[in-house]
Amino acid sequence: MTGRAQPLIPRVERQHRLIEELRISAPKAVTADALGDRVQVAARTVERDLAELIDAGVPITTRRGPGGGYAIDARRELPPLSLTPGEASALVAALTVLGPRASATAQSAMGKLLEALCGTTTGGPR
């Protein structure tokens, strides 16, 4: 791991937590202040992180005004998708950066990706 990747880890973990907090609250909108309290960062940091996630295509919506905030499409499962082995390997490499600090959800995703790449059953999350 390069020294450059290290600062990304807290941001990636924080962004994953923000997505999970939005999923837990769905379909209700949550303010940046409330999300900041939950992940222990300033509201401005939340706004920057969510803007980056929105730019990346994460289905987060913003509602302005009273009762507004951020919300996410919280489907229980995604439709089937096909990844090339290279795409799956890129996701594995990205998850590997998190290492032992990966969430249970990230570990489960890693297990599924490795299972697909290796063509074997791994027996669950790693």
Side-chain angles (χ1 to χ4, degrees), residues 64-80:
R64 305 241 183 256
Y70 297 92
I72 193 168
D73 178 354
R75 291 179 258 177
R76 300 290 297 157
E77 290 187 2
L78 297 175

PDB file of all heavy atoms in Angstrom, residues 64-80:
ATOM      1  N   ARG A  64     -34.257  20.297  -0.394  1.00  0.00           N
ATOM      2  CA  ARG A  64     -34.007  21.566   0.294  1.00  0.00           C
ATOM      3  C   ARG A  64     -35.212  21.955   1.149  1.00  0.00           C
ATOM      4  O   ARG A  64     -36.322  21.510   0.920  1.00  0.00           O
ATOM      5  CB  ARG A  64     -33.726  22.659  -0.718  1.00  0.00           C
ATOM      6  CG  ARG A  64     -32.597  22.312  -1.675  1.00  0.00           C
ATOM      7  CD  ARG A  64     -31.476  23.297  -1.561  1.00  0.00           C
ATOM      8  NE  ARG A  64     -30.434  23.010  -2.525  1.00  0.00           N
ATOM      9  CZ  ARG A  64     -29.287  22.432  -2.194  1.00  0.00           C
ATOM     10  NH1 ARG A  64     -29.056  22.098  -0.958  1.00  0.00           N
ATOM     11  NH2 ARG A  64     -28.361  22.223  -3.097  1.00  0.00           N
ATOM     12  N   GLY A  65     -34.961  22.801   2.127  1.00  0.00           N
ATOM     13  CA  GLY A  65     -36.049  23.360   2.928  1.00  0.00           C
ATOM     14  C   GLY A  65     -36.401  22.517   4.135  1.00  0.00           C
ATOM     15  O   GLY A  65     -35.757  21.510   4.421  1.00  0.00           O
ATOM     16  N   PRO A  66     -37.455  22.943   4.848  1.00  0.00           N
ATOM     17  CA  PRO A  66     -37.889  22.213   6.046  1.00  0.00           C
ATOM     18  C   PRO A  66     -38.229  20.753   5.709  1.00  0.00           C
ATOM     19  O   PRO A  66     -38.877  20.479   4.709  1.00  0.00           O
ATOM     20  CB  PRO A  66     -39.139  22.967   6.504  1.00  0.00           C
ATOM     21  CG  PRO A  66     -39.018  24.322   5.893  1.00  0.00           C
ATOM     22  CD  PRO A  66     -38.274  24.121   4.600  1.00  0.00           C
ATOM     23  N   GLY A  67     -37.761  19.855   6.532  1.00  0.00           N
ATOM     24  CA  GLY A  67     -37.989  18.436   6.283  1.00  0.00           C
ATOM     25  C   GLY A  67     -37.080  17.870   5.213  1.00  0.00           C
ATOM     26  O   GLY A  67     -37.195  16.714   4.831  1.00  0.00           O
ATOM     27  N   GLY A  68     -36.156  18.692   4.743  1.00  0.00           N
ATOM     28  CA  GLY A  68     -35.252  18.271   3.684  1.00  0.00           C
ATOM     29  C   GLY A  68     -34.030  17.555   4.219  1.00  0.00           C
ATOM     30  O   GLY A  68     -33.904  17.279   5.407  1.00  0.00           O
ATOM     31  N   GLY A  69     -33.138  17.271   3.334  1.00  0.00           N
ATOM     32  CA  GLY A  69     -31.908  16.583   3.680  1.00  0.00           C
ATOM     33  C   GLY A  69     -31.502  15.662   2.549  1.00  0.00           C
ATOM     34  O   GLY A  69     -31.828  15.909   1.385  1.00  0.00           O
ATOM     35  N   TYR A  70     -30.822  14.594   2.893  1.00  0.00           N
ATOM     36  CA  TYR A  70     -30.329  13.630   1.913  1.00  0.00           C
ATOM     37  C   TYR A  70     -31.066  12.315   2.097  1.00  0.00           C
ATOM     38  O   TYR A  70     -31.359  11.905   3.218  1.00  0.00           O
ATOM     39  CB  TYR A  70     -28.831  13.405   2.099  1.00  0.00           C
ATOM     40  CG  TYR A  70     -28.005  14.638   1.859  1.00  0.00           C
ATOM     41  CD1 TYR A  70     -27.679  15.499   2.909  1.00  0.00           C
ATOM     42  CD2 TYR A  70     -27.555  14.959   0.581  1.00  0.00           C
ATOM     43  CE1 TYR A  70     -26.921  16.640   2.692  1.00  0.00           C
ATOM     44  CE2 TYR A  70     -26.803  16.107   0.355  1.00  0.00           C
ATOM     45  CZ  TYR A  70     -26.487  16.935   1.420  1.00  0.00           C
ATOM     46  OH  TYR A  70     -25.740  18.057   1.195  1.00  0.00           O
ATOM     47  N   ALA A  71     -31.357  11.648   0.987  1.00  0.00           N
ATOM     48  CA  ALA A  71     -32.011  10.344   1.019  1.00  0.00           C
ATOM     49  C   ALA A  71     -31.385   9.478  -0.073  1.00  0.00           C
ATOM     50  O   ALA A  71     -30.741   9.980  -0.993  1.00  0.00           O
ATOM     51  CB  ALA A  71     -33.508  10.481   0.796  1.00  0.00           C
ATOM     52  N   ILE A  72     -31.586   8.163   0.053  1.00  0.00           N
ATOM     53  CA  ILE A  72     -31.016   7.235  -0.916  1.00  0.00           C
ATOM     54  C   ILE A  72     -32.060   6.207  -1.309  1.00  0.00           C
ATOM     55  O   ILE A  72     -32.961   5.884  -0.534  1.00  0.00           O
ATOM     56  CB  ILE A  72     -29.758   6.542  -0.330  1.00  0.00           C
ATOM     57  CG1 ILE A  72     -28.957   5.825  -1.413  1.00  0.00           C
ATOM     58  CG2 ILE A  72     -30.133   5.599   0.804  1.00  0.00           C
ATOM     59  CD1 ILE A  72     -27.579   5.387  -0.965  1.00  0.00           C
ATOM     60  N   ASP A  73     -31.942   5.713  -2.530  1.00  0.00           N
ATOM     61  CA  ASP A  73     -32.772   4.598  -2.987  1.00  0.00           C
ATOM     62  C   ASP A  73     -32.267   3.366  -2.247  1.00  0.00           C
ATOM     63  O   ASP A  73     -31.127   2.952  -2.425  1.00  0.00           O
ATOM     64  CB  ASP A  73     -32.613   4.425  -4.503  1.00  0.00           C
ATOM     65  CG  ASP A  73     -33.399   3.249  -5.044  1.00  0.00           C
ATOM     66  OD1 ASP A  73     -33.985   2.484  -4.246  1.00  0.00           O
ATOM     67  OD2 ASP A  73     -33.420   3.085  -6.271  1.00  0.00           O
ATOM     68  N   ALA A  74     -33.085   2.814  -1.374  1.00  0.00           N
ATOM     69  CA  ALA A  74     -32.633   1.748  -0.479  1.00  0.00           C
ATOM     70  C   ALA A  74     -33.228   0.390  -0.836  1.00  0.00           C
ATOM     71  O   ALA A  74     -33.753  -0.316   0.007  1.00  0.00           O
ATOM     72  CB  ALA A  74     -32.963   2.113   0.960  1.00  0.00           C
ATOM     73  N   ARG A  75     -33.111   0.006  -2.084  1.00  0.00           N
ATOM     74  CA  ARG A  75     -33.571  -1.326  -2.465  1.00  0.00           C
ATOM     75  C   ARG A  75     -32.819  -2.382  -1.670  1.00  0.00           C
ATOM     76  O   ARG A  75     -31.662  -2.191  -1.318  1.00  0.00           O
ATOM     77  CB  ARG A  75     -33.331  -1.580  -3.952  1.00  0.00           C
ATOM     78  CG  ARG A  75     -34.212  -0.740  -4.842  1.00  0.00           C
ATOM     79  CD  ARG A  75     -33.887  -1.036  -6.268  1.00  0.00           C
ATOM     80  NE  ARG A  75     -33.060   0.086  -6.723  1.00  0.00           N
ATOM     81  CZ  ARG A  75     -32.521   0.178  -7.913  1.00  0.00           C
ATOM     82  NH1 ARG A  75     -32.659  -0.789  -8.772  1.00  0.00           N
ATOM     83  NH2 ARG A  75     -31.820   1.223  -8.246  1.00  0.00           N
ATOM     84  N   ARG A  76     -33.461  -3.496  -1.403  1.00  0.00           N
ATOM     85  CA  ARG A  76     -32.829  -4.574  -0.629  1.00  0.00           C
ATOM     86  C   ARG A  76     -31.764  -5.290  -1.457  1.00  0.00           C
ATOM     87  O   ARG A  76     -30.779  -5.761  -0.929  1.00  0.00           O
ATOM     88  CB  ARG A  76     -33.877  -5.584  -0.163  1.00  0.00           C
ATOM     89  CG  ARG A  76     -34.948  -4.994   0.716  1.00  0.00           C
ATOM     90  CD  ARG A  76     -34.511  -4.586   2.084  1.00  0.00           C
ATOM     91  NE  ARG A  76     -34.045  -5.724   2.857  1.00  0.00           N
ATOM     92  CZ  ARG A  76     -33.234  -5.629   3.879  1.00  0.00           C
ATOM     93  NH1 ARG A  76     -32.807  -4.458   4.269  1.00  0.00           N
ATOM     94  NH2 ARG A  76     -32.842  -6.675   4.537  1.00  0.00           N
ATOM     95  N   GLU A  77     -31.991  -5.436  -2.755  1.00  0.00           N
ATOM     96  CA  GLU A  77     -31.036  -6.107  -3.630  1.00  0.00           C
ATOM     97  C   GLU A  77     -30.963  -5.372  -4.956  1.00  0.00           C
ATOM     98  O   GLU A  77     -31.925  -4.736  -5.379  1.00  0.00           O
ATOM     99  CB  GLU A  77     -31.460  -7.557  -3.884  1.00  0.00           C
ATOM    100  CG  GLU A  77     -31.331  -8.441  -2.678  1.00  0.00           C
ATOM    101  CD  GLU A  77     -31.607  -9.906  -3.015  1.00  0.00           C
ATOM    102  OE1 GLU A  77     -31.862 -10.228  -4.192  1.00  0.00           O
ATOM    103  OE2 GLU A  77     -31.575 -10.720  -2.082  1.00  0.00           O
ATOM    104  N   LEU A  78     -29.837  -5.508  -5.605  1.00  0.00           N
ATOM    105  CA  LEU A  78     -29.662  -4.931  -6.932  1.00  0.00           C
ATOM    106  C   LEU A  78     -30.022  -5.969  -7.972  1.00  0.00           C
ATOM    107  O   LEU A  78     -29.934  -7.172  -7.709  1.00  0.00           O
ATOM    108  CB  LEU A  78     -28.202  -4.509  -7.128  1.00  0.00           C
ATOM    109  CG  LEU A  78     -27.683  -3.419  -6.204  1.00  0.00           C
ATOM    110  CD1 LEU A  78     -26.189  -3.198  -6.445  1.00  0.00           C
ATOM    111  CD2 LEU A  78     -28.447  -2.133  -6.421  1.00  0.00           C
ATOM    112  N   PRO A  79     -30.396  -5.523  -9.163  1.00  0.00           N
ATOM    113  CA  PRO A  79     -30.627  -6.501 -10.222  1.00  0.00           C
ATOM    114  C   PRO A  79     -29.302  -7.173 -10.586  1.00  0.00           C
ATOM    115  O   PRO A  79     -28.223  -6.626 -10.311  1.00  0.00           O
ATOM    116  CB  PRO A  79     -31.155  -5.648 -11.382  1.00  0.00           C
ATOM    117  CG  PRO A  79     -30.729  -4.258 -11.077  1.00  0.00           C
ATOM    118  CD  PRO A  79     -30.599  -4.152  -9.597  1.00  0.00           C
ATOM    119  N   PRO A  80     -29.364  -8.353 -11.180  1.00  0.00           N
ATOM    120  CA  PRO A  80     -28.117  -9.031 -11.577  1.00  0.00           C
ATOM    121  C   PRO A  80     -27.293  -8.129 -12.492  1.00  0.00           C
ATOM    122  O   PRO A  80     -27.838  -7.379 -13.297  1.00  0.00           O
ATOM    123  CB  PRO A  80     -28.603 -10.266 -12.336  1.00  0.00           C
ATOM    124  CG  PRO A  80     -30.000 -10.467 -11.895  1.00  0.00           C
ATOM    125  CD  PRO A  80     -30.544  -9.110 -11.551  1.00  0.00           C
TER     126      PRO A  80
END
